[in-house]
Amino acid sequence: MARKKVARVKDKWATKKWFTLLAPEYFGLAEVGETPANSPELVVGRTVETTLADLTGDASNQNPYKKLIFKVQRVAGDKAYTKFHRFELMREYLNSLIRRRTSKIEDVIDVQTADGYKIRVKPVVFTVKRCKSSQKRAIRKITREIVLGKSSLNFVQFLQECILGKIPSEIYKGAKKIYPIRRVEIRKIELLSEPKAEVVAG
């Protein structure tokens, strides 16, 4: 009976086809993994995780700790094309930034980009020493103004400025006028909704 069971398992895998998962175009359509499925329809909606370091081949800075999650949008042949789903910093990296007698200032900001994407952004600011509540409020206000001020960008531009450090850098420059800042990060980005595709009449 054990032999028959093994044979059935082998047959099950023999019917599956492997699909190559590709990052979105704005990440160079880089290969981010493979997934098996009996049919292309079963691949759509699956998610895959990678790091910015693996995606770009650049392991400098915080890239190994920046995690990107993509979701399969469509399949063509043996290629599965993905779209952005979520970005987050790895927990161990965030934990390494926490110090005693310092302040961690977090916020949750919903932004709609110029091309109609709704995104939830979660920035975090780490101070050199513990600051007052009034200073925290002022830093949070500057953070929010900078992030919301980027709503004139399209989705890809906004994503790149968050992930590659331009927006954290601007927050750092603004917040340090209130209180000495040790580090600013975007700890998480979630895609809430996309613009509906226009139906062309004809």
Side-chain angles (χ1 to χ4, degrees):
M1 286 188 70
R3 286 181 183 174
K4 286 182 181 178
K5 194 171 184 181
V6 169
R8 278 202 297 273
V9 171
K10 283 183 178 177
D11 290 342
K12 183 181 174 184
W13 280 95
T15 61
K16 290 184 183 290
K17 180 181 176 182
W18 284 90
F19 296 85
T20 302
L21 300 163
L22 300 176
E25 282 186 33
Y26 45 89
F27 284 109
L29 293 173
E31 289 188 16
V32 289
E34 290 185 314
T35 188
N38 289 323
S39 69
E41 293 78 19
L42 296 175
V43 181
V44 176
R46 288 186 185 179
T47 58
V48 58
E49 291 183 5
T50 188
T51 65
L52 190 60
D54 288 339
L55 202 57
T56 61
D58 180 6
S60 64
N61 206 7
Q62 291 79 43
N63 291 351
Y65 306 104
K66 293 178 176 180
K67 187 165 65 173
L68 289 141
I69 296 92
F70 300 121
K71 182 180 277 191
V72 177
Q73 188 173 27
R74 65 183 180 88
V75 178
D78 62 351
K79 299 284 192 291
Y81 296 88
T82 65
K83 63 179 180 178
F84 175 85
H85 182 55
R86 195 169 74 249
F87 163 85
E88 57 190 44
L89 286 178
M90 291 185 183
R91 190 179 296 275
E92 59 266 35
Y93 173 67
L94 278 171
N95 289 343
S96 75
L97 296 175
I98 297 169
R99 302 278 190 277
R100 292 180 64 190
R101 299 185 185 87
T102 67
S103 295
K104 181 175 79 167
I105 303 157
E106 298 179 286
D107 205 349
V108 178
I109 307 165
D110 289 350
V111 182
Q112 180 161 319
T113 62
D115 49 353
Y117 287 80
K118 289 183 181 175
I119 309 166
R120 179 159 291 160
V121 185
K122 298 182 179 181
V124 57
V125 178
F126 296 91
T127 59
V128 172
K129 292 182 180 179
R130 190 172 292 152
C131 62
K132 298 175 185 175
S133 295
S134 58
Q135 291 167 325
K136 286 182 182 179
R137 284 195 297 272
I139 288 169
R140 203 171 275 118
K141 182 174 182 287
I142 285 172
T143 300
R144 187 166 280 266
E145 284 173 355
I146 289 169
V147 172
L148 291 173
K150 298 291 183 176
S151 61
S152 59
L153 299 175
N154 66 36
F155 171 67
V156 174
Q157 290 169 333
F158 185 89
L159 207 57
Q160 288 175 337
E161 289 205 3
C162 280
I163 294 171
L164 300 179
K166 190 173 189 300
I167 290 175
S169 177
E170 289 183 27
I171 294 170
Y172 180 90
K173 287 174 185 173
K176 73 177 183 179
K177 295 172 185 174
I178 306 296
Y179 195 82
I181 304 298
R182 188 160 47 84
R183 185 142 206 99
V184 177
E185 297 282 3
I186 302 295
R187 65 181 182 86
K188 196 169 189 178
I189 306 167
E190 298 169 280
L191 179 60
L192 300 179
S193 67
E194 303 173 74
K196 291 178 180 177
E198 290 184 15
V199 178
V200 181

